[in-house]
Amino acid sequence: MTSQNQFTKADQSQKVERLHQELRQWQSNLYFMQDEILFIDHLLNAYIFQPTTPNLFERIQDYLFRLKKVKQQKEKLGTLVSNHEKNLVGMLRCTDSKCDEPYYQRHDTMKVEVTKCLKSFQMLKSEIFNYAGGILKKNKPKSNP
């Protein structure tokens, strides 16, 4: 009977460690996302774009608005992930696998939300870089031969 409980505790400890690693990866991704958001914000507010570019103001304002929404979502998720990590200790205290179930459900839900946020940001970032890159190439100074 004791060896069965020890195996269960060890198994549970491994599961908690895997969840913790996943949480740390989410935190790392969200932290790096903050640096990227800051860079993109600076890019969009820079004076590198020609004022004669069609719909420039509207486009940049749209990007800045969407970037702000992504930043708010990232901050909310960052808080949720931190709180979720703090609750991880409760799983080690649990003696019944049934009490772990709500934690796994929250974890799975959070995984979907973090993935959705990261994917949404990747799409926005790609859209902004494609737009900015096209404008910058158009405005590239001509070199003298």
Side-chain angles (χ1 to χ4, degrees):
M1 187 85 148
T2 306
S3 63
Q4 180 67 16
N5 286 340
Q6 288 175 346
F7 175 76
T8 303
K9 290 281 186 192
D11 187 46
Q12 186 178 22
S13 180
Q14 288 176 344
K15 287 179 183 179
V16 169
E17 182 59 32
R18 280 193 302 259
L19 293 175
H20 189 249
Q21 289 290 51
E22 192 167 30
L23 282 165
R24 296 195 72 168
Q25 183 61 50
W26 296 346
Q27 289 171 326
S28 176
N29 289 342
L30 293 172
Y31 183 78
F32 185 67
M33 190 176 157
Q34 179 61 38
D35 289 340
E36 291 180 306
I37 288 171
L38 186 61
F39 172 79
I40 293 170
D41 186 59
H42 286 285
L43 173 68
L44 293 174
N45 285 300
Y47 294 102
I48 57 173
F49 300 109
Q50 294 288 334
T52 57
T53 305
N55 301 320
L56 174 69
F57 179 78
E58 294 82 4
R59 201 110 195 246
I60 289 179
Q61 290 306 308
D62 177 59
Y63 288 146
L64 286 170
F65 176 77
R66 290 165 57 197
L67 192 64
K68 181 180 176 182
K69 288 289 191 191
V70 167
K71 182 179 179 180
Q72 290 170 343
Q73 184 181 19
K74 180 211 74 70
E75 289 170 356
K76 179 182 170 191
L77 282 172
T79 301
L80 290 173
V81 168
S82 291
N83 291 337
H84 189 59
E85 183 179 32
K86 290 174 189 171
N87 293 331
L88 194 62
V89 175
M91 286 184 70
L92 291 173
R93 294 185 191 138
C94 189
T95 57
D96 185 0
S97 63
K98 288 180 185 175
C99 71
D100 288 347
E101 196 57 40
Y103 187 86
Y104 287 119
Q105 289 172 349
R106 281 192 307 273
H107 189 85
D108 290 343
T109 300
M110 198 170 300
K111 183 176 189 171
V112 169
E113 290 301 313
V114 169
T115 301
K116 191 167 75 172
C117 178
L118 293 171
K119 195 175 283 190
S120 173
F121 178 64
Q122 287 297 106
M123 289 172 52
L124 176 61
K125 186 170 64 169
S126 178
E127 188 179 333
I128 291 170
F129 287 167
N130 284 333
Y131 178 72
I135 290 174
L136 293 173
K137 284 180 186 176
K138 266 196 306 190
N139 298 327
K140 186 171 105 177
K142 296 187 176 27
S143 59
N144 292 333

